Amino acid sequence: EAGVVQSPRYKIIEKKQPVAFWCNPISGHNTLYWYRQNLGQGPELLIRYENEEAVDDSQLPKDRFSAERLKGVDSTLKIQPAELGDSAVYLCASSLRGRTGELFFGEGSRLTVL
Amino acid sequence: QQQVKQSPQSLIVQKGGISIINCAYENTAFDYFPWYQQFPGKGPALLIAIRPDVSEKKEGRFTISFNKSAKQFSLHIMDSQPGDSATYFCAARASGANNLFFGTGTRLTVIP
């Protein structure tokens, strides 16, 4: 069974440029998460989806970050414009409904903002 | 404010030794405590988890010890192997909530 797929794996951009990350969760997983992991830190939740509905986006910096999960499957996380402090690994995870402690993570998208 | 405090930040253990990583929390609403293992360039992967109604859970060489009164839990890796070298994160989830709070991680190095 395929795991969570993310792309791109690496992205280098200059500040003020836009960037987008894509995630394909495990088939059958209704719940999808975007986490940000700063260097030497644990993942921090940005947004959680149940199917296509964003049910927890309290930690998403809405002035520059946006996300969508059309049709309740794939998801895209966008940053516009990017700032230096956005450099991090953006992790996508999925889980079965109600199994919110048992997350399956993708390999992440490492963003470097110059 | 860090919801889950993890220590040590890094740990070096000889092959065959015991690795111990500790975590502490304050929120008594937490009711699920997983540990995740992360290799460089990979996403975290669930290793083992415990609920507060038991004091210990063992899976192979990995054991979680849980002290509800002290609000502490720890991961013990017995007979540590070089392949165990990774970063380990403890985490906690509150009852009725759906957010998993992660610790800051422990970088384990097992030397042959």
Side-chain angles (χ1 to χ4, degrees), chain B residues 54-111:
Chain B
V54 297
S55 60
E56 185 175 282
K57 183 172 182 180
K58 183 176 181 179
E59 290 185 2
R61 296 184 295 108
F62 300 90
T63 300
I64 300 177
S65 295
F66 189 85
N67 186 329
K68 189 174 182 177
S69 61
K71 289 184 284 187
Q72 296 175 348
F73 59 110
S74 60
L75 176 70
H76 296 234
I77 306 175
M78 312 300 288
D79 187 25
S80 299
Q81 299 296 313
D84 297 330
S85 297
T87 299
Y88 293 81
F89 293 96
C90 61
R93 186 198 66 190
S95 173
N98 294 291
N99 190 8
L100 201 56
F101 294 97
F102 285 86
T104 51
T106 296
R107 189 172 200 171
L108 172 65
T109 302
V110 181
I111 53 177

Side-chain angles (χ1 to χ4, degrees), chain A residues 9 33 35 37 40-43 45 48 56 91 98-103 105-107, chain B residues 2 32 34 36 38 41-46 89 93 97-100 102-105:
Chain A
R9 288 296 314 280
Y33 314 75
Y35 279 85
Q37 186 174 24
Q41 299 294 313
L45 181 69
R48 177 173 64 89
D56 184 355
L91 293 163
R99 307 292 284 269
T100 54
E102 300 171 24
L103 306 183
F105 284 90
E107 294 189 325
Chain B
Q2 194 70 34
Y32 180 76
Y36 282 77
Q38 186 176 29
K42 303 293 185 182
L46 180 63
F89 293 96
R93 186 198 66 190
N98 294 291
N99 190 8
L100 201 56
F102 285 86
T104 51

Side-chain angles (χ1 to χ4, degrees), chain B residues 10 13 18 23 25 30-31 34 38 42 65 85 88-89:
Chain B
S10 62
V13 173
I18 302 173
C23 285
Y25 64 97
F30 286 152
D31 71 343
Q38 186 176 29
K42 303 293 185 182
S65 295
S85 297
Y88 293 81
F89 293 96

